[in-house]
Amino acid sequence: MAPEGYVFTGSSKTPTQSIDGASSNEAAVLHGAKNIVLEDRMINPPGPGEAQIAVKATGLCGSDLHYYAHGKNGDFVVREPFVLGHEAAGIISAIGEGVTEFKVGDRVAIEAGIHCGTCRSCKTVKYAASAKTFPHVQGTLQTFINHPAKYLHIMPDSCTYEQASLVEPLSVVLHATRRASIQASQSVLVLGAGAVGILACALAKALGAGMIVAVDVDERRTKFAVEEGFASVGHTLPRAPRPETTEESLALARQMAEGLLNQHLPGTEGFDVVYECTGVASCIQAGIYAAAPGGKVALIGMGTPIATLPLSVAALREVDLIGVFRFCNTYKEALTLFGTGRLPGVNKIVTTRYPLKRAKDAFETLMRGHDENGRMVVKVMVGDYDE
């Protein structure tokens, strides 16, 4: 839900950006851990091959939160003041030279991950693995952004800006699902019932999966997943300190997996597909233990740079461990899923909204896991919202 008094106005506002010269642009700029400053930056007209977009909605991601809280995300460390945000959509306000496929006023989803275009991964049309560019260019928590037109995608008429912003995390899940080759009637375990986990549940259901179990330490999230029809059942884990040793972690993981199987898939050898959306070492380990022989574990969550895994268990049971970094050629299909209504109710994932000027409050809310009124937070949006 939105903070009291907030109304989304993005669908009715018309951008008034000029291409005659640099213009004012409000931006939420990260200068270090928990140090976001609202700045008035100048933005130049779009260059050749670019379009300028008036950003209407940006979803905050777990990686954004890591940058905000710690000044880094895994091995990627903040090297300069920069604008966070990469799950975004908006309306084209200006067109650069050579851009013919778009016009001012087009509503677009922004594919923020710009690949290098020169490495082997890019040349084999698997640009998800390309990481040769600066890890994060200036992001979308600003009023306007210039972006290569080839990474913009027209939104279906029935798609909202918020849904189009969810296309980015949905693309990650879609990429993982393609790699895991999920089939109808297969059993699915989703570890982590945040926005990505809920989207994994929703996509698995749309593809005809059988039993879908959503796991989290927050009972409100597992109940949400079930009550909104995304998961078959929810499983809430007790909150406990993280294990101090590898042995403790592996023992906890095995216990977790056995509990999940005994309760939700008794008499079976495990889940056909596991979406690991937490990045927590014990959850990655549990995913391996809980997978059926020949099953797939899609490693979506980030946060543990080095984890000790029960590889012998995976090898002996021929469990495939699938790395997932970004996505590749997914935006068209993801937008179609939203536009055709194949993911009913996913708009409810957006629980909390803030205007750009309250970006810092948005991050603090995401970090707490609940808003000022104690309500559960799944996906926080920052954008064109009025008080």
Side-chain angles (χ1 to χ4, degrees):
M1 296 179 67
E4 297 298 332
Y6 280 83
V7 179
F8 181 59
T9 62
S11 60
S12 61
K13 284 189 175 179
T14 301
T16 56
Q17 183 74 333
S18 168
I19 63 170
D20 295 333
S23 302
S24 178
N25 181 41
E26 191 173 51
V29 184
L30 183 74
H31 288 265
K34 297 185 179 180
N35 182 17
I36 282 186
V37 179
L38 199 64
E39 298 180 0
D40 192 19
R41 289 185 163 189
M42 301 305 291
I43 184 167
N44 291 316
E50 292 183 335
Q52 191 168 99
I53 305 99
V55 180
K56 296 301 180 182
T58 294
L60 299 188
C61 172
S63 62
D64 292 321
L65 183 59
H66 277 291
Y67 279 114
Y68 172 75
H70 310 294
K72 63 179 181 178
N73 178 39
D75 293 331
F76 298 139
V77 180
V78 174
R79 296 189 240 174
E80 63 182 28
F82 79 110
V83 179
L84 291 169
H86 56 275
E87 302 176 1
I91 183 168
I92 291 180
S93 56
I95 297 293
E97 180 185 350
V99 176
T100 59
E101 64 271 38
F102 297 101
K103 65 182 183 301
V104 171
D106 281 344
R107 301 187 318 135
V108 293
I110 303 169
E111 184 176 349
I114 302 173
H115 61 278
C116 70
T118 59
C119 69
R120 184 181 65 85
S121 293
C122 290
K123 291 180 178 179
T124 55
V125 201
K126 188 173 171 53
Y127 61 81
S130 173
K132 290 187 177 180
T133 56
F134 191 93
H136 284 280
V137 296
Q138 299 294 323
T140 59
L141 286 178
Q142 50 188 321
T143 310
F144 294 95
I145 185 171
N146 292 328
H147 201 70
K150 65 180 180 178
Y151 298 115
L152 300 177
H153 306 269
I154 293 289
M155 295 164 49
D157 292 339
S158 59
C159 189
T160 68
Y161 290 116
E162 290 183 346
Q163 288 176 329
S165 297
L166 290 173
V167 164
E168 199 277 347
L170 176 60
S171 284
V172 174
V173 173
L174 184 56
H175 181 60
T177 301
R178 289 174 177 176
R179 297 204 65 204
S181 302
I182 189 170
Q183 304 295 317
S185 301
Q186 286 188 322
S187 56
V188 174
L189 175 65
V190 179
L191 296 168
V196 171
I198 295 295
L199 287 170
C201 292
L203 182 58
K205 182 177 180 179
L207 295 175
M211 172 70 75
I212 303 172
V213 180
V215 180
D216 204 280
V217 295
D218 189 335
E219 186 177 15
R220 296 173 299 178
R221 290 188 170 190
T222 55
K223 283 185 175 181
F224 175 82
V226 175
E227 290 173 357
E228 297 300 335
F230 301 119
S232 309
V233 294
H235 186 100
T236 306
L237 297 171
R239 291 184 181 272
R242 291 197 180 189
E244 295 182 358
T245 66
T246 298
E247 290 74 18
E248 290 177 355
S249 180
L250 289 168
L252 175 64
R254 186 184 290 274
Q255 181 182 14
M256 185 192 311
E258 290 174 351
L260 286 165
L261 293 175
N262 290 336
Q263 186 170 345
H264 305 298
L265 286 181
T268 71
E269 293 186 273
F271 290 89
D272 297 308
V273 177
V274 178
Y275 292 96
E276 204 302 300
C277 304
T278 71
V280 176
S282 57
C283 288
I284 302 172
Q285 296 158 353
I288 295 172
Y289 286 127
K296 311 289 180 64
V297 179
L299 303 174
I300 299 175
M302 299 178 69
T304 304
I306 299 176
T308 300
L309 305 179
L311 290 181
S312 60
V313 173
L316 291 173
R317 294 161 62 86
E318 295 195 357
V319 172
D320 293 344
L321 304 183
I322 299 171
V324 179
F325 180 44
R326 290 177 180 166
F327 41 82
C328 182
N329 299 320
T330 54
Y331 261 63
K332 183 177 180 179
E333 183 176 349
L335 281 166
T336 298
L337 285 167
F338 278 121
T340 57
R342 291 190 62 197
L343 302 176
V346 288
N347 55 299
K348 295 181 180 179
I349 292 175
V350 182
T351 55
T352 318
R353 301 167 175 85
Y354 286 94
L356 180 60
K357 66 183 179 182
R358 293 190 61 194
K360 182 175 177 61
D361 292 335
F363 278 103
E364 289 293 326
T365 296
L366 183 60
M367 191 158 57
R368 286 195 309 269
H370 59 81
D371 66 13
E372 293 91 337
N373 299 309
R375 293 176 296 205
M376 176 192 67
V377 167
V378 179
K379 172 61 72 176
V380 177
M381 285 279 172
V382 176
D384 198 359
Y385 302 96
D386 282 346
E387 287 188 79

